[in-house]
């Protein structure tokens, strides 16, 4: 009976040793991939994020509105809006939105910002 117990313990220890060895090998492979991920994040992703942010906020020009052309298929009002004078949309701003008749005086592409 004791020999059976010794064989079971010996088998468990060899299985455990091989499992531990496989885990250590896998762990070392993962630590190498983690280092690669860390380097790519620090030396590629972070500088690109700063470069795109700098371009977006300091270099890029904002597009200006074009001259108003009264096309018949644009800004069609079959029914008045249920608020205000019925001609302005709910989130209308004179600087960015044109009315069917054209820009409000002092706004649009001719206005100085």
């Amino acid at each position: 009976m004791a020999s059976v117990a010794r064989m079971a313990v010996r088998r468990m220890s060899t299985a455990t040793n091989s499992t531990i060895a496989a885990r250590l090998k896998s762990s070392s492979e993962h630590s190498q991939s983690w280092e690669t991920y860390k380097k790519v994040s620090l030396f590629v992703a972070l500088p690109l994020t700063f470069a795109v942010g700098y371009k977006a906020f300091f270099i890029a020009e904002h597009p200006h509105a074009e001259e108003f052309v009264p096309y018949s298929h644009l800004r069609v009002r079959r029914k008045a809006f249920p608020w205000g004078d019925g001609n302005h949309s709910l989130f209308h701003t004179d600087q960015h939105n044109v009315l069917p008749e054209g820009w409000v005086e002092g706004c649009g592409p001719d206005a100085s910002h």
Side-chain angles (χ1 to χ4, degrees):
M1 193 69 156
S3 63
V4 173
R6 277 190 218 136
M7 282 177 50
V9 168
R10 195 176 300 150
R11 236 181 215 200
M12 287 175 62
S13 67
T14 55
T16 305
N17 288 340
S18 64
T19 304
I20 291 173
R23 286 184 181 170
L24 287 174
K25 181 182 176 192
S26 173
S27 174
S28 67
E29 290 172 2
H30 287 297
S31 67
Q32 290 171 354
S33 65
W34 165 250
E35 290 296 323
T36 303
Y37 174 78
K38 183 176 160 183
K39 289 176 186 175
V40 167
S41 295
L42 288 175
F43 299 117
V44 176
L46 222 62
L48 281 176
T49 302
F50 286 120
V52 168
Y54 179 77
K55 181 186 181 304
F57 291 107
F58 297 110
I59 296 176
E61 292 184 18
H62 299 288
H64 294 285
E66 298 176 8
E67 279 295 321
F68 177 73
V69 179
Y71 293 116
S72 61
H73 66 280
L74 296 176
R75 292 172 283 282
V76 175
R77 305 275 198 272
R78 294 194 188 334
K79 182 177 167 186
F81 289 117
W83 51 82
D85 65 353
N87 201 19
H88 294 81
S89 63
L90 184 60
F91 298 106
H92 180 86
T93 58
D94 291 334
Q95 292 80 18
H96 299 287
N97 303 111
V98 66
L99 296 172
E101 304 85 40
W103 290 100
V104 174
E105 189 175 330
C107 298
D110 298 332
S112 61
H113 296 276

